[in-house]
Amino acid sequence: MPKVLLTTLNAKYIHLNLAIRILYDLNKDNGNADLHLHEFTIKNDPQEVAAYCVDYDVVCFSCYIWNITQTLAVARAIKALNPAVKVLLGGPEVSYEWEPVIAEDAVDYLIIGEGEIPFEHFVRQYPHVSLVPNLIFKEEGNIQYNKQSVQFDVKLLEDRNPYQYDTAEELNNKVCYIETSRGCPYKCEFCLASLDNKVRYLPMQTIKDNLLYLMERGRTIKFLDRTFNIKKDFTLDLFQFILDHHRPGNVFQFEITADIVHPDIIAFIQEKVPPGLFRFEIGIQTVNQASNLEVSRKQNFTKTSGVVQSLQNKIEMHLDLIVGLPLEYMADLKYSFEETFKLYPPELQLGFLKFLKGTPVREKYEQYDYVFDPEPPYQIIRSRFLSEEELHKVTLLENALEIYWNKKRACHALKYITERYSIFDFLMGVGERFARTHAFHQHTLKQVYEVIRDYIQELYPQDAVLAELLALDYYTFYKVKPQDIFELEADKAERFKVMESFGLNHHKYRFAILPVHFDTTVYIQESQVQPKLDYLIIQFDGQEKGEVLCADLQCL
């Protein structure tokens, strides 16, 4: 009986791979193979991974753009240690343009497409694999491909729990992925999901059973469905099930299409869902309708904006934009970015167009003079619409967006910029300045604020309120009163006068007191800047981040 290992190299330790768990659960008892399951990460040393794998007869890897390079390195290391071990690769990264992969001496087999049916045949028939559907293999120096049209019936997953082999501790410390359906009704040409337009739903009771299992043992549960909210009644049913059974600490992540969210779903969320329980990932990608149509994508941005705004008091939003789509020049990208930023999502992801194997946009790349990296993740280098220099500038903007907005280090200042200037130009300028002085992945928090402080002083010297709002961001990010890098704090005499006037307990707390040019109470309560000579008072207790006191000294 062959000893077979199902494995993968996850992008991070907190990730779990659902695909290999499903294959293990479906085949562990078939009696034709001694099946095992184990995971690694892309940061593991290839030699150490190979040393774990060499005692198996067949090692099967689940492959994606984030791990294919490391996976091939491990495969070569396995063969160097024990040439008798057979290596099988499956997954989206080897299902298209697979010829260079199977040409690797370290790769013996490829499973193309959905893996359940081919893998079942493989473990039943091994080593006689010539009849395994959608298997590519080497035979006497020749490449053989047993191409067949097969599709797994997801109803066969009824009453199966792929996570029953994990400990409660593992599930509690990692992101647990669950699928309720496969396929996507949309045809976005940059996405692999567009190649399977038939949406197939798993049995509802099995979905609920597995969801309950994960809720009881895990914390963060992420739904893999490309568009979770296609069916209103299905969505509401599962939302209600979650509300009935979730436990403290659970968080649920869904990928939704915002412009088709039914009003009943919005009403349900507003009436029943507590803030912070749900997170929505929404792919806006672009506001440019010409670009959307060019990649067979439909979106009503007005409706999308309305849904985001109507739910942002209850749902944490993660919005995505794609840089480099056809017909989107720099001016169009700027417009898309600024219109999306005005929604003030807690996280805005600026991704760059990737030419994934199998996608129509990759097949048509010459039509738009695209040049992209031939190595994973196949990211755009230049096109007819954006030059390399322009794309480089956008990467600097992306870095600034991550540092200052997504990490919530300058939200007050950036909102103010958005309402009065160009947030696109501002972040690009800050990003360029940052790149000249510091490494994006190696800097101190003080340096983060010094860069944007200097940029504001140089570009907006006349705008005192902007500098003061950045100071508000700075002081409220710390738990202990930080150094006065803005030189805005009141002097010692004025500071004691304010503390005495408002009865502040300077024995128990420390305070930053800044004279400012806006009404602090109105700003904190209503997010409106009204001109007024006032004091910004931030209280520090050393335990929580700095807390703003209004003129009436109620902490907000």
Side-chain angles (χ1 to χ4, degrees), residues 13 103 141 204 307 456 488:
Y13 173 77
M204 177 59 92
V307 169
I456 286 175
L488 293 176

Side-chain angles (χ1 to χ4, degrees), residues 446 449-450 453 457 474-475 482-488:
K446 181 184 175 186
Y449 283 103
E450 287 174 337
R453 175 204 64 188
Q457 288 176 351
Y474 172 73
Y475 283 103
Q483 178 185 349
D484 178 18
I485 65 171
F486 294 90
E487 299 181 351
L488 293 176

